C-alpha cells in the first residue's frame, strides 16, 4: 500500500513540475490549484499522520484496605454512692417529703401537714 502511495505522489510531483499550459486563465488556475491541493492532502495525510492506536479501557485497581485501631469499649462506671439528698423541707405548719429514687420511681414531692397541737378543738 505504501509503495502505491509513493508512486502516486511521484507522478503528482512530476506532473506539477511540468510547465502549465499557456491558455489557462486565472479561474482555471485557481480551480486546478485547489484540486491539486485537495488530492495531495488526501493522499499524504494518511501517510504523515501519526498512527492511531486503539485506546484500551483504563484499568482500575482496588484500593488497599486501610485498617484503623480497634474500637475502644468502656464499661459503665460503677454507681457512686448517692449524695445525701435532703428528703424533707420543714415549715412551721407542715413539711414536704421527697418520694422516689429518680431511676426506678420518679421523684415526687408530697405535702404533709403538721398535726394540730393537743387539746385544741377543731374549728367549726
Amino acid at each position: 500500500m505504501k509503495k502505491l502511495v509513493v508512486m502516486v505522489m511521484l507522478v503528482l510531483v512530476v506532473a506539477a513540475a511540468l510547465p502549465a499550459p499557456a491558455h489557462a486563465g486565472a479561474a482555471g488556475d485557481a480551480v486546478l490549484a485547489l484540486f491539486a491541493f485537495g488530492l495531495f492532502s488526501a493522499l499524504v495525510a494518511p501517510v504523515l499522520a501519526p498512527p492511531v492506536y486503539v485506546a484500551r479501557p483504563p484499568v482500575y485497581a482496588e484500593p488497599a484496605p486501610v485498617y484503623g485501631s480497634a474500637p475502644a469499649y468502656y464499661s459503665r462506671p460503677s454507681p457512686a454512692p448517692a449524695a445525701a439528698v435532703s428528703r424533707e423541707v420543714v415549715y412551721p405548719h407542715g413539711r414536704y417529703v421527697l418520694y422516689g429514687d429518680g431511676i426506678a420511681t420518679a421523684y415526687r414531692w408530697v405535702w404533709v401537714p403538721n398535726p394540730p397541737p393537743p387539746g385544741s378543738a377543731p374549728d367549726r
Side-chain angles (χ1 to χ4, degrees), residues 2-111:
K2 286 186 179 182
K3 288 182 181 180
L4 177 65
V5 171
V6 170
M7 289 191 149
V8 169
M9 287 179 49
L10 183 62
V11 169
L12 288 176
V13 169
V14 170
L18 295 176
H23 58 82
D29 290 342
V31 171
L32 185 61
L34 286 174
F35 177 74
F37 177 74
L39 183 64
F40 180 74
S41 297
L43 293 175
V44 172
V47 175
L48 296 180
V52 178
Y53 296 105
V54 176
R56 294 182 182 168
V59 177
Y60 295 103
E62 181 137 351
V66 177
Y67 298 104
S69 61
Y73 294 101
Y74 298 100
S75 61
R76 276 180 102 181
S78 61
V85 176
S86 175
R87 295 202 164 264
E88 289 188 6
V89 179
V90 181
Y91 290 97
H93 55 282
R95 67 186 187 271
Y96 279 105
V97 180
L98 179 63
Y99 291 108
D101 60 1
I103 297 174
T105 308
Y107 287 122
R108 184 177 58 167
W109 288 98
V110 177
W111 173 252

